[in-house]
PDB file of all heavy atoms in Angstrom:
ATOM      1  N   VAL A  86      -0.002   5.249-187.983  1.00  0.00           N
ATOM      2  CA  VAL A  86      -0.895   4.269-188.580  1.00  0.00           C
ATOM      3  C   VAL A  86      -2.251   4.487-187.969  1.00  0.00           C
ATOM      4  O   VAL A  86      -2.457   4.534-186.787  1.00  0.00           O
ATOM      5  CB  VAL A  86      -0.384   2.804-188.295  1.00  0.00           C
ATOM      6  CG1 VAL A  86      -1.368   1.817-188.842  1.00  0.00           C
ATOM      7  CG2 VAL A  86       0.971   2.615-188.874  1.00  0.00           C
ATOM      8  N   VAL A  87      -3.223   4.648-188.880  1.00  0.00           N
ATOM      9  CA  VAL A  87      -4.663   4.750-188.378  1.00  0.00           C
ATOM     10  C   VAL A  87      -5.381   3.621-189.090  1.00  0.00           C
ATOM     11  O   VAL A  87      -5.361   3.433-190.298  1.00  0.00           O
ATOM     12  CB  VAL A  87      -5.208   6.132-188.882  1.00  0.00           C
ATOM     13  CG1 VAL A  87      -6.688   6.209-188.468  1.00  0.00           C
ATOM     14  CG2 VAL A  87      -4.432   7.261-188.252  1.00  0.00           C
ATOM     15  N   ALA A  88      -6.143   2.864-188.313  1.00  0.00           N
ATOM     16  CA  ALA A  88      -6.945   1.795-188.840  1.00  0.00           C
ATOM     17  C   ALA A  88      -8.312   1.875-188.240  1.00  0.00           C
ATOM     18  O   ALA A  88      -8.467   2.289-187.150  1.00  0.00           O
ATOM     19  CB  ALA A  88      -6.231   0.458-188.568  1.00  0.00           C
ATOM     20  N   GLY A  89      -9.307   1.387-188.891  1.00  0.00           N
ATOM     21  CA  GLY A  89     -10.652   1.372-188.407  1.00  0.00           C
ATOM     22  C   GLY A  89     -11.394   0.166-188.964  1.00  0.00           C
ATOM     23  O   GLY A  89     -11.265  -0.192-190.134  1.00  0.00           O
ATOM     24  N   ASP A  90     -12.224  -0.453-188.156  1.00  0.00           N
ATOM     25  CA  ASP A  90     -13.059  -1.558-188.562  1.00  0.00           C
ATOM     26  C   ASP A  90     -14.469  -1.300-187.979  1.00  0.00           C
ATOM     27  O   ASP A  90     -14.601  -0.817-186.896  1.00  0.00           O
ATOM     28  CB  ASP A  90     -12.569  -2.841-187.911  1.00  0.00           C
ATOM     29  CG  ASP A  90     -11.448  -3.445-188.775  1.00  0.00           C
ATOM     30  OD1 ASP A  90     -11.394  -3.139-189.947  1.00  0.00           O
ATOM     31  OD2 ASP A  90     -10.707  -4.335-188.233  1.00  0.00           O
ATOM     32  N   PHE A  91     -15.454  -1.614-188.776  1.00  0.00           N
ATOM     33  CA  PHE A  91     -16.825  -1.541-188.230  1.00  0.00           C
ATOM     34  C   PHE A  91     -17.589  -2.665-188.922  1.00  0.00           C
ATOM     35  O   PHE A  91     -17.648  -2.859-190.142  1.00  0.00           O
ATOM     36  CB  PHE A  91     -17.556  -0.204-188.584  1.00  0.00           C
ATOM     37  CG  PHE A  91     -18.986  -0.253-188.210  1.00  0.00           C
ATOM     38  CD1 PHE A  91     -19.344  -0.083-186.903  1.00  0.00           C
ATOM     39  CD2 PHE A  91     -19.973  -0.378-189.190  1.00  0.00           C
ATOM     40  CE1 PHE A  91     -20.707  -0.049-186.595  1.00  0.00           C
ATOM     41  CE2 PHE A  91     -21.255  -0.365-188.856  1.00  0.00           C
ATOM     42  CZ  PHE A  91     -21.675  -0.205-187.596  1.00  0.00           C
ATOM     43  N   ASP A  92     -18.221  -3.482-188.153  1.00  0.00           N
ATOM     44  CA  ASP A  92     -19.163  -4.478-188.645  1.00  0.00           C
ATOM     45  C   ASP A  92     -20.514  -4.307-187.910  1.00  0.00           C
ATOM     46  O   ASP A  92     -20.566  -4.218-186.663  1.00  0.00           O
ATOM     47  CB  ASP A  92     -18.635  -5.929-188.297  1.00  0.00           C
ATOM     48  CG  ASP A  92     -17.595  -6.318-189.281  1.00  0.00           C
ATOM     49  OD1 ASP A  92     -17.710  -5.985-190.436  1.00  0.00           O
ATOM     50  OD2 ASP A  92     -16.647  -7.002-188.846  1.00  0.00           O
ATOM     51  N   GLY A  93     -21.538  -4.200-188.639  1.00  0.00           N
ATOM     52  CA  GLY A  93     -22.846  -4.056-188.032  1.00  0.00           C
ATOM     53  C   GLY A  93     -23.898  -4.762-188.828  1.00  0.00           C
ATOM     54  O   GLY A  93     -23.667  -5.100-190.016  1.00  0.00           O
ATOM     55  N   GLY A  94     -24.990  -5.060-188.118  1.00  0.00           N
ATOM     56  CA  GLY A  94     -25.984  -5.781-188.857  1.00  0.00           C
ATOM     57  C   GLY A  94     -27.261  -5.773-187.987  1.00  0.00           C
ATOM     58  O   GLY A  94     -27.233  -5.532-186.816  1.00  0.00           O
ATOM     59  N   GLY A  95     -28.376  -6.069-188.605  1.00  0.00           N
ATOM     60  CA  GLY A  95     -29.617  -6.173-187.902  1.00  0.00           C
ATOM     61  C   GLY A  95     -30.640  -6.907-188.656  1.00  0.00           C
ATOM     62  O   GLY A  95     -30.575  -7.064-189.882  1.00  0.00           O
ATOM     63  N   ARG A  96     -31.645  -7.468-187.985  1.00  0.00           N
ATOM     64  CA  ARG A  96     -32.715  -8.162-188.668  1.00  0.00           C
ATOM     65  C   ARG A  96     -33.994  -7.893-187.898  1.00  0.00           C
ATOM     66  O   ARG A  96     -34.036  -7.963-186.650  1.00  0.00           O
ATOM     67  CB  ARG A  96     -32.383  -9.624-188.612  1.00  0.00           C
ATOM     68  CG  ARG A  96     -33.469 -10.476-189.323  1.00  0.00           C
ATOM     69  CD  ARG A  96     -32.917 -11.887-189.615  1.00  0.00           C
ATOM     70  NE  ARG A  96     -33.899 -12.713-190.201  1.00  0.00           N
ATOM     71  CZ  ARG A  96     -34.310 -12.709-191.428  1.00  0.00           C
ATOM     72  NH1 ARG A  96     -33.819 -11.806-192.200  1.00  0.00           N
ATOM     73  NH2 ARG A  96     -35.268 -13.517-191.832  1.00  0.00           N
ATOM     74  N   THR A  97     -35.037  -7.619-188.566  1.00  0.00           N
ATOM     75  CA  THR A  97     -36.375  -7.405-187.996  1.00  0.00           C
ATOM     76  C   THR A  97     -37.305  -8.317-188.754  1.00  0.00           C
ATOM     77  O   THR A  97     -37.313  -8.345-190.015  1.00  0.00           O
ATOM     78  CB  THR A  97     -36.814  -5.962-188.131  1.00  0.00           C
ATOM     79  OG1 THR A  97     -35.861  -5.117-187.499  1.00  0.00           O
ATOM     80  CG2 THR A  97     -38.186  -5.753-187.534  1.00  0.00           C
TER      81      THR A  97
END
Side-chain angles (χ1 to χ4, degrees):
V86 176
V87 177
D90 278 341
F91 173 77
D92 281 325
R96 180 166 175 78
T97 302

